[in-house]
Amino acid sequence: MSDLRELNWYPLVNSSDLPYRHPYRSKLLGHELVIWRADDGFVNVWLDRCLHRGMRLSRGLINGNEIKCQYHGWHYSNRSGGCTYIPAHPIDSPAQTLSCETFKSIEKYGLVWSGISPRGLVPDLSIESGESIVNLRSMFMRAPASDTTSALMEYEFSPKLKFFVQPLDELTSIVHGLVDNSQNSGDVEDILHYHNDQLVKIRTKVEFSALARPVRVNGLANTKTSDPTTKPASPQFSQSSRLKVKVSRKWITATDIVGVELSPIDFESLPTFLPGAHIDLVLPNGLARQYSLTNGPGELGTYRIGIKREPQSSGGSLFIHDVLDEGDVVEISMPRNNFPLRQDSSRTILIAGGIGVTPLLAMSQVLAKQNLHYELHYFAQSHEHLAFGEITATLENNFISHLGLSPMETMQTIRSVLGAHNTSENVYICGPKPMLDGARDIAQSLEWPDNSVHFEYFKNSNVIHSDSSFIVDLARSALSLTVESGQTILQTLRNNGVAVPSSCEQGACGTCLVRVLEGTPDHQDVYLNESERQRGDQILTCVSRALSEKLTLDI
Ligand code: FES
């Protein structure tokens, strides 16, 4: 039997007691835990509390690779525990800091092992994990782990029998046991019955003595202690952090499109993200390029992106196609989401042109997992130009390809796709500018509400006018700056020590957006929609300017 005082890893449940998509509730050293297996097989051991109102996640629903709190529907991702969706804020990305407390987990000898701060390895039992192990029925004891451990000492042991005690709290414990039956020394049913009877006897005895003793509760640790020698499950880093990842796979997914899988180096999993999110991939020359993540919900073992060969590009796509190789290490940013998906639509229409399919693949997988009504229309030159066939194949009848259409046929098809609609539907469009502009015009002519039409441009191909000069007053910084002709607002702010995040710096991604309190913006981006432009209360500082002499910004 293992020495409880030295055992940092504790068995919490028999692997076979974790039913498909069913959360399991347990406790360890006073910590309430939820244990659940995701569809990729990973067993999550988390504090059993929703971050919103503290409800038990063990009462929640598992929809594959996420668990959803039953109370207000917050979603949390497999592995990282990161919050991925808040129904009350359907278009906002939950903060990266919203993450459930997670504990390490390992499956071995037919048991799920975890610990509050486990060090080293799960005990080596010198037996093979496998079918020859008979896992005994775990037995709850209304007695402290120390009493249970002492009582088990009286058990008649054979080298093939192993017991472990899980301290639930100061007053209760659970005995887990297993028998190595590799020699087929007994019938499995007989083994289970025999040890169950023995454990029941021990339970009666140990519970009786525990009852006879005065109760003294010292209170077990209620907070997780950190062990600097252990590797965190997933990175905790700020929005501006960069993360080194390895190219674990690179393959041709369609004509002129490569798929790239990026794996964590120093962590077990990558940061949580929401469908529609992108990362910056930093090129050797220091420039960053944005690529949308195609992963489905809870897929945090690798990030998967698609890159089209652009002969006219400034080097990003050519570098990735021709130079980047499997095994190379690159830097990426935290995922950012300027193209968030509402998950409360009665129907979601996704329209992709070419490589614009990538964010829509992530969205499709989330909608599919939740059995929501959606359709993905993918416009491409030919079958060979359809990327990520392994994902689209899983979308079944919700995936519709439109191949080899002329520009006019494309617009006619989009018109028919957008034709009949109601106000609770949303459409997401991503693709080349002519297609996006055309689809937005069609949506407007069919009276789709502006805020139901969402789009993501690859880049801003508008001609940017930068010859005006104007004043920006920074309301919260008590600064008044002059934006000179030829300079952007963003550059002026940075030159004066005011930090504003940015990514594309061409008015396409929305990262540099700030609120306008007074003045009239001269919008030159492709990020804001028409009603947002007309409201005039926000501006993309990397390209847009002022029509008035002065703009007052909320920074
Ligand atoms: Fe992308 Fe300004 S940095 S819109």
Side-chain angles (χ1 to χ4, degrees), residues 406-420:
S406 66
M408 186 181 287
E409 289 168 330
T410 299
M411 289 304 125
Q412 284 166 349
T413 307
I414 290 175
R415 182 171 284 280
S416 79
V417 167
L418 294 182

PDB file of all heavy atoms in Angstrom, residues 406-420:
ATOM      1  N   SER A 406     -18.441  32.316 -61.929  1.00  0.00           N
ATOM      2  CA  SER A 406     -17.947  33.634 -62.347  1.00  0.00           C
ATOM      3  C   SER A 406     -18.318  34.633 -61.248  1.00  0.00           C
ATOM      4  O   SER A 406     -19.171  34.339 -60.397  1.00  0.00           O
ATOM      5  CB  SER A 406     -18.632  34.042 -63.656  1.00  0.00           C
ATOM      6  OG  SER A 406     -20.011  34.240 -63.395  1.00  0.00           O
ATOM      7  N   PRO A 407     -17.740  35.842 -61.272  1.00  0.00           N
ATOM      8  CA  PRO A 407     -18.113  36.842 -60.250  1.00  0.00           C
ATOM      9  C   PRO A 407     -19.619  37.101 -60.231  1.00  0.00           C
ATOM     10  O   PRO A 407     -20.223  37.226 -59.163  1.00  0.00           O
ATOM     11  CB  PRO A 407     -17.320  38.079 -60.664  1.00  0.00           C
ATOM     12  CG  PRO A 407     -16.119  37.530 -61.381  1.00  0.00           C
ATOM     13  CD  PRO A 407     -16.600  36.301 -62.088  1.00  0.00           C
ATOM     14  N   MET A 408     -20.220  37.160 -61.418  1.00  0.00           N
ATOM     15  CA  MET A 408     -21.659  37.436 -61.441  1.00  0.00           C
ATOM     16  C   MET A 408     -22.452  36.264 -60.843  1.00  0.00           C
ATOM     17  O   MET A 408     -23.385  36.458 -60.053  1.00  0.00           O
ATOM     18  CB  MET A 408     -22.114  37.695 -62.878  1.00  0.00           C
ATOM     19  CG  MET A 408     -23.574  38.137 -62.933  1.00  0.00           C
ATOM     20  SD  MET A 408     -24.127  38.423 -64.591  1.00  0.00           S
ATOM     21  CE  MET A 408     -23.309  39.943 -64.963  1.00  0.00           C
ATOM     22  N   GLU A 409     -22.042  35.044 -61.208  1.00  0.00           N
ATOM     23  CA  GLU A 409     -22.744  33.873 -60.651  1.00  0.00           C
ATOM     24  C   GLU A 409     -22.568  33.814 -59.131  1.00  0.00           C
ATOM     25  O   GLU A 409     -23.472  33.428 -58.399  1.00  0.00           O
ATOM     26  CB  GLU A 409     -22.201  32.587 -61.281  1.00  0.00           C
ATOM     27  CG  GLU A 409     -22.608  32.416 -62.733  1.00  0.00           C
ATOM     28  CD  GLU A 409     -21.819  31.308 -63.416  1.00  0.00           C
ATOM     29  OE1 GLU A 409     -20.650  31.058 -63.027  1.00  0.00           O
ATOM     30  OE2 GLU A 409     -22.366  30.702 -64.355  1.00  0.00           O
ATOM     31  N   THR A 410     -21.388  34.218 -58.691  1.00  0.00           N
ATOM     32  CA  THR A 410     -21.140  34.221 -57.242  1.00  0.00           C
ATOM     33  C   THR A 410     -22.115  35.158 -56.546  1.00  0.00           C
ATOM     34  O   THR A 410     -22.736  34.811 -55.537  1.00  0.00           O
ATOM     35  CB  THR A 410     -19.685  34.662 -56.955  1.00  0.00           C
ATOM     36  OG1 THR A 410     -18.814  33.735 -57.579  1.00  0.00           O
ATOM     37  CG2 THR A 410     -19.398  34.712 -55.471  1.00  0.00           C
ATOM     38  N   MET A 411     -22.284  36.356 -57.113  1.00  0.00           N
ATOM     39  CA  MET A 411     -23.200  37.323 -56.486  1.00  0.00           C
ATOM     40  C   MET A 411     -24.642  36.827 -56.537  1.00  0.00           C
ATOM     41  O   MET A 411     -25.407  36.994 -55.579  1.00  0.00           O
ATOM     42  CB  MET A 411     -23.084  38.688 -57.185  1.00  0.00           C
ATOM     43  CG  MET A 411     -21.782  39.399 -56.886  1.00  0.00           C
ATOM     44  SD  MET A 411     -21.514  39.621 -55.100  1.00  0.00           S
ATOM     45  CE  MET A 411     -19.943  38.867 -54.886  1.00  0.00           C
ATOM     46  N   GLN A 412     -25.008  36.191 -57.646  1.00  0.00           N
ATOM     47  CA  GLN A 412     -26.390  35.667 -57.736  1.00  0.00           C
ATOM     48  C   GLN A 412     -26.615  34.600 -56.660  1.00  0.00           C
ATOM     49  O   GLN A 412     -27.660  34.542 -56.011  1.00  0.00           O
ATOM     50  CB  GLN A 412     -26.634  35.053 -59.125  1.00  0.00           C
ATOM     51  CG  GLN A 412     -26.841  36.101 -60.200  1.00  0.00           C
ATOM     52  CD  GLN A 412     -26.747  35.525 -61.605  1.00  0.00           C
ATOM     53  OE1 GLN A 412     -26.331  34.376 -61.792  1.00  0.00           O
ATOM     54  NE2 GLN A 412     -27.122  36.321 -62.583  1.00  0.00           N
ATOM     55  N   THR A 413     -25.595  33.754 -56.488  1.00  0.00           N
ATOM     56  CA  THR A 413     -25.740  32.685 -55.489  1.00  0.00           C
ATOM     57  C   THR A 413     -25.841  33.276 -54.087  1.00  0.00           C
ATOM     58  O   THR A 413     -26.666  32.847 -53.277  1.00  0.00           O
ATOM     59  CB  THR A 413     -24.525  31.727 -55.570  1.00  0.00           C
ATOM     60  OG1 THR A 413     -24.391  31.310 -56.920  1.00  0.00           O
ATOM     61  CG2 THR A 413     -24.713  30.517 -54.681  1.00  0.00           C
ATOM     62  N   ILE A 414     -24.993  34.262 -53.822  1.00  0.00           N
ATOM     63  CA  ILE A 414     -25.046  34.880 -52.482  1.00  0.00           C
ATOM     64  C   ILE A 414     -26.417  35.528 -52.262  1.00  0.00           C
ATOM     65  O   ILE A 414     -27.000  35.440 -51.182  1.00  0.00           O
ATOM     66  CB  ILE A 414     -23.898  35.901 -52.318  1.00  0.00           C
ATOM     67  CG1 ILE A 414     -22.558  35.146 -52.251  1.00  0.00           C
ATOM     68  CG2 ILE A 414     -24.085  36.759 -51.073  1.00  0.00           C
ATOM     69  CD1 ILE A 414     -21.332  36.020 -52.209  1.00  0.00           C
ATOM     70  N   ARG A 415     -26.948  36.162 -53.323  1.00  0.00           N
ATOM     71  CA  ARG A 415     -28.283  36.778 -53.192  1.00  0.00           C
ATOM     72  C   ARG A 415     -29.316  35.734 -52.811  1.00  0.00           C
ATOM     73  O   ARG A 415     -30.158  35.939 -51.946  1.00  0.00           O
ATOM     74  CB  ARG A 415     -28.661  37.493 -54.500  1.00  0.00           C
ATOM     75  CG  ARG A 415     -30.009  38.190 -54.441  1.00  0.00           C
ATOM     76  CD  ARG A 415     -30.227  39.054 -55.664  1.00  0.00           C
ATOM     77  NE  ARG A 415     -29.447  40.289 -55.596  1.00  0.00           N
ATOM     78  CZ  ARG A 415     -29.785  41.371 -54.901  1.00  0.00           C
ATOM     79  NH1 ARG A 415     -30.900  41.360 -54.198  1.00  0.00           N
ATOM     80  NH2 ARG A 415     -29.039  42.442 -54.888  1.00  0.00           N
ATOM     81  N   SER A 416     -29.242  34.565 -53.460  1.00  0.00           N
ATOM     82  CA  SER A 416     -30.260  33.555 -53.133  1.00  0.00           C
ATOM     83  C   SER A 416     -30.025  32.977 -51.728  1.00  0.00           C
ATOM     84  O   SER A 416     -30.966  32.685 -51.008  1.00  0.00           O
ATOM     85  CB  SER A 416     -30.329  32.468 -54.208  1.00  0.00           C
ATOM     86  OG  SER A 416     -29.288  31.559 -54.026  1.00  0.00           O
ATOM     87  N   VAL A 417     -28.753  32.857 -51.330  1.00  0.00           N
ATOM     88  CA  VAL A 417     -28.467  32.341 -49.974  1.00  0.00           C
ATOM     89  C   VAL A 417     -29.000  33.311 -48.912  1.00  0.00           C
ATOM     90  O   VAL A 417     -29.540  32.906 -47.882  1.00  0.00           O
ATOM     91  CB  VAL A 417     -26.938  32.142 -49.800  1.00  0.00           C
ATOM     92  CG1 VAL A 417     -26.566  31.932 -48.342  1.00  0.00           C
ATOM     93  CG2 VAL A 417     -26.454  30.971 -50.646  1.00  0.00           C
ATOM     94  N   LEU A 418     -28.859  34.613 -49.187  1.00  0.00           N
ATOM     95  CA  LEU A 418     -29.264  35.615 -48.186  1.00  0.00           C
ATOM     96  C   LEU A 418     -30.739  35.993 -48.298  1.00  0.00           C
ATOM     97  O   LEU A 418     -31.245  36.774 -47.482  1.00  0.00           O
ATOM     98  CB  LEU A 418     -28.406  36.887 -48.342  1.00  0.00           C
ATOM     99  CG  LEU A 418     -26.913  36.726 -48.034  1.00  0.00           C
ATOM    100  CD1 LEU A 418     -26.194  38.063 -48.189  1.00  0.00           C
ATOM    101  CD2 LEU A 418     -26.714  36.198 -46.625  1.00  0.00           C
ATOM    102  N   GLY A 419     -31.414  35.444 -49.299  1.00  0.00           N
ATOM    103  CA  GLY A 419     -32.783  35.862 -49.623  1.00  0.00           C
ATOM    104  C   GLY A 419     -33.738  35.897 -48.447  1.00  0.00           C
ATOM    105  O   GLY A 419     -33.967  36.943 -47.843  1.00  0.00           O
ATOM    106  N   ALA A 420     -34.304  34.755 -48.094  1.00  0.00           N
ATOM    107  CA  ALA A 420     -35.304  34.752 -47.013  1.00  0.00           C
ATOM    108  C   ALA A 420     -34.584  34.758 -45.676  1.00  0.00           C
ATOM    109  O   ALA A 420     -33.703  33.942 -45.441  1.00  0.00           O
ATOM    110  CB  ALA A 420     -36.165  33.506 -47.145  1.00  0.00           C
TER     111      ALA A 420
END
